[in-house]
């Protein structure tokens, strides 16, 4: 697909008329994903046009001074993206990363004080950056220890429900999120990342977090069609979940599988495989099926990772099936986009998680381009 003349022409049209985001620069909203995807397109195709456009966007982004610091919307998202680009392509890359470190560490401390463990907006996203930063961080053990302390405090106080605005009712209500970017699954996966990197994480923390998760398991799955809800409300009501990276059974099971293997817990290893096998018969029903956040691209990456962990070919088959669905969906959606000539959610957004830059990187993956470290932002 990357070498398709239609793809190249449409992308060139987008890039020739590209408008940078002047208020946000992260992986959810902002130009971080476009900068990263252009660097990988250049490495894969050796087309100087992509490299020149990457520099144009970088220059424009560096001119702004009002960005926040979060992974999803701010400087840490941009920094993570830049850290994945070769130093040969970005002069003084490491010096710039060193220059912003203290501001990110200060923001991290403030987020922990506020109990903000959100992946996109809070401490979990900042910790992701610290753990994946190419610059040596002398106090990384203290940084991780402060995160563990914050999680432990929440466990001790049972402080997991947040007072959030419900767009459906127009009212505020307390909810517990079990998903990846805003909930328990993301925290568990972040702790597992630290464990994978050989930092000490007390198994009791995982036991406690999974106990919370298990307490909300649906008992009548013939009615719910899923094992776990996406959200739990203070009144006891629960939302059903779907097949997606951002929420639902798939990443919960992935977290259980990873935990079971790392800590030698056969119960969670086997239980996760039961959920994962059931997930293969589920349909991904989302209006925006081309984006990383809850579309086909992340599903093909997740199942590919599960295949590498389990060596079970059924997950490789699932990954290939979502690859084909991705290709069909981009073809159908592009046809409609050109036919209707009206704004389109996917084609008119360039960010990593909710725009076309994430799709570009996924397409490079299925075409066999080996540099896929960027998928770590999915906490895989």
């Amino acid at each position: 697909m990357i070498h398709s003349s239609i793809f190249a022409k449409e992308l060139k049209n987008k890039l020739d008329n590209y408008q940078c985001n002047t208020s946000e620069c992260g992986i959810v909203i902002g130009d971080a994903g476009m900068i990263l995807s252009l660097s990988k397109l250049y490495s894969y195709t050796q087309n100087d046009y992509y490299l020149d456009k990457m520099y144009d966007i970088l220059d424009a982004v560096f001119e702004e001074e009002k960005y926040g610091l979060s992974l999803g919307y701010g400087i840490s998202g941009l920094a993570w993206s830049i850290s994945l680009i070769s130093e040969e392509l970005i002069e003084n890359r490491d010096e710039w990363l060193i220059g912003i470190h203290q501001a990110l560490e200060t923001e991290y401390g403030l987020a922990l004080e506020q109990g903000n463990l959100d992946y996109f907006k809070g401490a979990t996203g900042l910790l992701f950056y610290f753990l994946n930063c190419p610059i040596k961080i002398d106090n990384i053990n203290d940084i991780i220890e402060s995160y563990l302390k914050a999680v432990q405090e929440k466990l001790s106080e049972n402080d997991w429900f947040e007072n959030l605005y419900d767009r459906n009712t127009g009212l505020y209500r307390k909810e517990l999120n079990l998903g990846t970017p805003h909930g328990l699954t993301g925290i568990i996966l972040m702790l597992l990342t630290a464990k994978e990197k050989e930092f000490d994480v007390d198994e009791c923390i995982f036991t406690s977090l999974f106990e919370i998760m298990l307490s909300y398991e649906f008992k009548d799955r013939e009615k719910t069609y899923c094992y776990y809800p996406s959200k739990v409300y203070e009144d006891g009501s629960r939302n059903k979940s779907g097949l997606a990276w951002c929420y639902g059974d798939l990443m919960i099971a992935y977290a259980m599988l990873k935990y079971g293997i790392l800590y030698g817990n056969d119960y969670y290893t086997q239980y996760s495989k039961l959920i994962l096998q059931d997930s293969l018969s589920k349909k991904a029903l989302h209006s925006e099926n081309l984006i990383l956040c809850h579309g086909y691209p992340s599903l093909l990456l997740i199942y590919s990772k599960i295949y590498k962990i389990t060596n079970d070919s059924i997950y490789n088959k699932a990954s290939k099936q979502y690859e084909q669905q991705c290709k069909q969906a981009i073809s159908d959606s592009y046809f409609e986009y050109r036919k209707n000539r009206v704004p389109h959610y996917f084609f008119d957004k360039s960010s990593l998680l909710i725009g076309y830059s994430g799709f570009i990187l996924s397409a490079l993956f299925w075409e066999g381009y080996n540099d896929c470290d960027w998928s770590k932002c999915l906490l895989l």
Side-chain angles (χ1 to χ4, degrees):
M1 191 198 84
I2 296 300
H3 294 291
S4 162
S5 59
I6 295 176
F7 169 84
K9 180 180 178 181
E10 180 60 31
L11 183 57
K12 185 176 186 304
N13 180 56
K14 290 290 185 187
L15 292 172
D16 285 345
N17 298 282
Y18 194 85
Q19 296 293 317
C20 289
N21 192 310
T22 58
S23 58
E24 294 171 303
C25 63
I27 65 172
V28 179
I29 298 179
D31 300 301
M34 201 67 243
I35 291 166
L36 180 59
S37 65
L38 286 170
S39 75
K40 302 307 178 186
L41 276 171
Y42 167 72
S43 297
Y44 184 61
T45 66
Q46 291 299 296
N47 185 335
D48 288 338
Y49 174 79
Y50 295 133
L51 186 61
D52 292 340
K53 286 300 176 182
M54 185 196 79
Y55 289 139
D56 288 344
I57 296 172
L58 261 180
D59 289 342
V61 168
F62 282 149
E63 287 179 3
E64 297 296 331
E65 298 180 352
K66 55 186 177 182
Y67 297 125
L69 297 169
S70 70
L71 183 75
Y73 308 93
I75 294 294
S76 60
L78 176 65
W80 169 75
S81 174
I82 288 173
S83 75
L84 294 177
I85 301 172
S86 169
E87 286 184 85
E88 296 178 358
L89 298 183
I90 300 183
E91 187 178 359
N92 300 321
R93 183 200 71 174
D94 288 359
E95 287 84 347
W96 181 79
L97 293 175
I98 291 170
I100 63 166
H101 178 79
Q102 187 55 58
L104 296 182
E105 194 171 326
T106 300
E107 181 74 5
Y108 177 71
L110 290 172
L112 289 177
E113 285 179 15
Q114 296 163 2
N116 178 6
L117 300 183
D118 194 272
Y119 184 56
F120 288 160
K121 299 179 181 179
T124 299
L126 288 161
L127 180 56
F128 168 80
Y129 170 71
F130 293 140
L131 285 176
N132 290 281
C133 178
I135 306 300
K136 179 177 170 52
I137 301 175
D138 292 331
N139 64 333
I140 188 64
N141 286 302
D142 294 334
I143 287 173
I144 294 170
E145 190 61 37
S146 62
Y147 185 83
L148 292 170
K149 182 180 178 182
V151 174
Q152 194 64 262
E153 285 178 359
K154 277 188 170 288
L155 285 168
S156 299
E157 298 170 8
N158 196 24
D159 179 28
W160 297 103
F161 281 83
E162 295 184 274
N163 198 33
L164 299 173
Y165 181 73
D166 188 330
R167 287 180 294 179
N168 295 323
T169 64
L171 301 173
Y172 281 87
R173 63 191 303 195
K174 286 194 172 183
E175 64 180 54
L176 164 62
N177 194 305
L178 300 185
T180 307
H182 309 300
L184 286 186
T185 302
I187 294 168
I188 293 169
L189 288 169
M190 192 71 261
L191 292 170
L192 287 169
T193 298
K195 174 65 176 178
E196 261 189 324
K197 292 179 179 290
E198 299 185 346
F199 293 101
D200 185 31
V201 183
D202 191 337
E203 187 175 3
C204 291
I205 293 180
F206 290 109
T207 302
S208 298
L209 290 171
F210 279 124
E211 281 179 359
I212 295 172
M213 192 82 74
L214 289 169
S215 70
Y216 295 111
E217 181 185 20
F218 286 121
K219 302 305 179 186
D220 189 355
R221 286 189 290 278
E222 289 186 3
K223 291 183 177 180
T224 61
Y225 302 104
C226 58
Y227 282 75
Y228 290 96
S230 59
K231 295 178 181 178
V232 179
Y233 298 100
E234 197 173 36
D235 62 6
S237 60
R238 295 172 287 176
N239 285 353
K240 296 177 185 178
S241 65
L243 189 65
W245 169 76
C246 50
Y247 65 94
D249 292 347
L250 185 56
M251 289 305 286
I252 290 173
Y254 176 77
M256 290 176 174
L257 175 67
K258 196 169 183 179
Y259 163 72
I261 292 172
L262 282 174
Y263 284 88
N265 189 311
D266 191 58
Y267 170 78
Y268 277 102
T269 302
Q270 297 307 317
Y271 178 48
S272 69
K273 289 181 179 179
L274 178 65
I275 301 174
L276 289 172
Q277 288 170 359
D278 280 358
S279 76
L280 298 173
S281 62
K282 303 292 189 293
K283 293 183 178 179
L285 299 174
H286 296 285
S287 58
E288 298 302 332
N289 53 24
L290 291 170
I291 66 176
L292 272 180
C293 187
H294 53 246
Y296 298 145
S298 54
L299 294 180
L300 72 90
L301 289 163
I302 295 165
Y303 281 117
S304 176
K305 181 68 173 181
I306 294 168
Y307 166 61
K308 290 176 182 177
I309 293 173
T310 64
N311 201 33
D312 191 329
S313 62
I314 60 173
Y315 300 115
N316 186 47
K317 181 180 178 181
S319 178
K320 297 299 183 184
Q321 286 175 340
Y322 281 112
E323 176 187 321
Q324 292 305 313
Q325 287 183 256
C326 235
K327 292 175 179 178
Q328 188 61 53
I330 191 72
S331 176
D332 294 344
S333 297
Y334 178 76
F335 176 79
E336 290 297 319
Y337 175 62
R338 299 297 294 173
K339 176 183 176 182
N340 298 329
R341 296 186 179 276
V342 295
H344 186 280
Y345 187 92
F346 170 76
F347 291 107
D348 295 322
K349 291 183 181 292
S350 64
S351 75
L352 183 66
L353 265 293
I354 61 173
Y356 56 82
S357 66
F359 180 90
I360 290 170
L361 289 167
S362 299
L364 284 170
F365 167 77
W366 76 54
E367 289 201 7
Y369 182 59
N370 292 325
D371 190 356
C372 200
D373 267 4
W374 66 270
S375 64
K376 289 180 181 178
C377 74
L378 299 175
L379 297 175
L380 297 176

